[in-house]
Every structure is written in C-alpha cells, then in structure tokens.
Amino acid sequence: RQAVGGACAGRWTLRRAFRRFLHTTPSAFLIDMRLDYAFRLLQSSRLPVSLIAQKSGFSDTSYFCKVIRKATGRSPSKLRCL
C-alpha cells in the first residue's frame, strides 16, 4: 500500500485511477515520456543512438530501436534525417 495525499491506496486502485484520468496505463505513459525525450535528442543532437537510448531510460539499445520502430515505422537513424 502506498500513501497518496494522506490516503492509502493499493497498486490496482492507483492504476485504475491513472487510467481513468489519463486514458493510459502508467507503463505506457512512462514509455511515451521516454520516447518524447528520445525524439527530441535524435533531432537536436548528434549523440550516438546507444547514448540516446541510455539517456532516455532504455537500458537495451536493441529494445529502444524496436520501440521506436513500432511507434513510428522508422529506425532511429531515419528519424534523425527528418
């Protein structure tokens, strides 16, 4: 149980509330935030993709590339050219 605003709420109660108000799950929200940051780094820097993956919170570069490709249909290096 976690304390939130002075009240205790279970994990699933928090997850349902998160989904009700933000229309997404906490894990999907986190991945979206990481991807937004990664997109900004890809377009505004010349850092290697592996470092961008790490800075964006992805510990595995291959997984990072897979998530980027699934979200956009393009590889990180192709996104950099846009």
Side-chain angles (χ1 to χ4, degrees), residues 11-25:
R11 174 180 172 195
W12 293 108
T13 301
L14 291 172
R15 188 176 189 279
R16 277 192 303 273
F18 194 96
R19 188 170 187 126
R20 184 174 355 142
F21 291 109
L22 297 176
H23 308 289
T24 189
T25 62

Side-chain angles (χ1 to χ4, degrees), residues 35 39 64-76 79:
L35 286 176
F39 293 146
F64 170 73
C65 292
K66 180 180 174 181
V67 171
I68 291 274
R69 188 178 298 273
K70 184 178 179 184
T72 66
R74 300 173 190 261
S75 68
L79 286 175

Side-chain angles (χ1 to χ4, degrees), residues 3-71:
V4 176
C8 288
R11 174 180 172 195
W12 293 108
T13 301
L14 291 172
R15 188 176 189 279
R16 277 192 303 273
F18 194 96
R19 188 170 187 126
R20 184 174 355 142
F21 291 109
L22 297 176
H23 308 289
T24 189
T25 62
S27 57
F29 181 81
L30 180 60
I31 288 174
D32 286 345
M33 296 298 292
R34 288 176 175 171
L35 286 176
D36 286 343
Y37 183 62
F39 293 146
R40 281 187 271 132
L41 287 176
L42 283 167
Q43 295 193 344
S44 67
S45 75
R46 284 279 155 215
L47 294 172
V49 171
S50 59
L51 187 55
I52 290 174
Q54 183 182 17
K55 285 179 165 284
S56 301
F58 292 89
S59 58
D60 182 359
T61 304
S62 297
Y63 177 66
F64 170 73
C65 292
K66 180 180 174 181
V67 171
I68 291 274
R69 188 178 298 273
K70 184 178 179 184

